[in-house]
Amino acid sequence: MKNLKDLLKVPLLSIVFILVLTSCVKDVELDQIDEIQLTPTAVIDLLDFTLEADLLAFEQQETIGFDREVTFEVVTDDLKQNVTSVDLFFDTTNSLPRKFQATLYFMTDRNRVNHTISFDILPGNKETPQISTLKETIEGEALNALNESSKIKIRMEMDPGPGATEGQLQLLSTAAYNFEF
């Protein structure tokens, strides 16, 4: 008798399992296809900027600036209309004893500035680096201006201060493109 119970458990459990799985199925009408929205997010790397301490070995009395340009053609023209917003993330790690001002210029091929983002990077040291994250969400007209940009110019200005023989400043930036289809 015990073996008969064991033999019946598997088929009964299988039937119950199949009924549970199929009971949640609902028919989808073709009219509802227009109501389906896909909202994917694509994350890409924008910038990777590193400044080593060997440039700061001597005390400086004036502000010093560093520039770098990178291309910025992330989204193709056919996808630009589906972008609802862009979240820009800037992660900084500063183990140098200087304060920096970072300015990012989103520019056209003809060097017209479409959008600007500025932020400060506080000084740190080798034992306790200053770590910070900034998030900027771009929507509406600013998003249209950003979509017209083809390059980013980053300007780092270093405040005067003491020299440093070790440490670095690192700026990493990503962009999360939010789409709606």
Side-chain angles (χ1 to χ4, degrees):
M1 193 61 105
K2 186 175 184 182
N3 289 337
L4 184 59
K5 283 184 182 180
D6 290 338
L7 289 175
L8 290 177
K9 281 184 184 178
V10 173
L12 287 175
L13 287 175
S14 298
I15 291 171
V16 170
F17 183 71
I18 290 171
L19 288 175
V20 168
L21 284 179
T22 58
S23 66
C24 296
V25 175
K26 182 180 175 186
D27 291 333
V28 177
E29 296 178 20
L30 290 178
D31 295 340
Q32 293 176 329
I33 195 113
D34 294 333
E35 296 174 15
I36 296 173
Q37 289 186 349
L38 300 176
T39 56
T41 299
V43 178
I44 54 130
D45 293 331
L46 285 183
L47 297 170
D48 185 354
F49 183 89
T50 302
L51 179 65
E52 298 291 336
D54 57 353
L55 296 173
L56 309 175
F58 304 102
E59 185 170 325
Q60 315 244 289
Q61 302 300 322
E62 297 177 11
T63 300
I64 297 175
F66 307 94
D67 292 330
R68 182 183 290 174
E69 275 188 20
V70 295
T71 59
F72 180 70
E73 294 184 280
V74 178
V75 179
T76 59
D77 289 335
D78 57 334
L79 289 178
K80 286 181 182 177
Q81 66 188 9
N82 298 102
V83 177
T84 58
S85 66
V86 177
D87 296 321
L88 299 173
F89 297 92
F90 303 97
D91 298 319
T92 59
T93 303
N94 187 9
S95 59
L96 298 171
R98 304 270 183 97
K99 179 181 173 188
F100 291 82
Q101 291 83 37
T103 306
L104 281 76
Y105 302 96
F106 293 83
M107 303 166 49
T108 65
D109 287 333
R110 296 185 176 163
N111 294 330
R112 189 187 80 172
V113 176
N114 286 336
H115 189 72
T116 305
I117 298 172
S118 297
F119 55 93
D120 290 336
I121 301 170
L122 298 176
N125 59 52
K126 186 71 174 171
E127 292 79 34
T128 55
Q130 182 69 13
I131 299 171
S132 62
T133 299
L134 171 73
K135 176 186 174 188
E136 173 122 357
T137 300
I138 299 177
E139 301 173 306
E141 287 301 316
L143 179 61
N144 293 335
L146 189 72
N147 282 335
E148 293 174 7
S149 300
S150 61
K151 59 185 170 180
I152 301 172
K153 177 181 177 183
I154 181 169
R155 173 93 176 143
M156 299 291 284
E157 292 184 348
M158 178 178 60
D159 285 354
T165 56
E166 56 183 30
Q168 69 177 7
L169 166 70
Q170 186 172 28
L171 168 65
L172 300 172
S173 177
T174 57
Y177 277 78
N178 301 303
F179 295 92
E180 187 173 287
F181 296 100

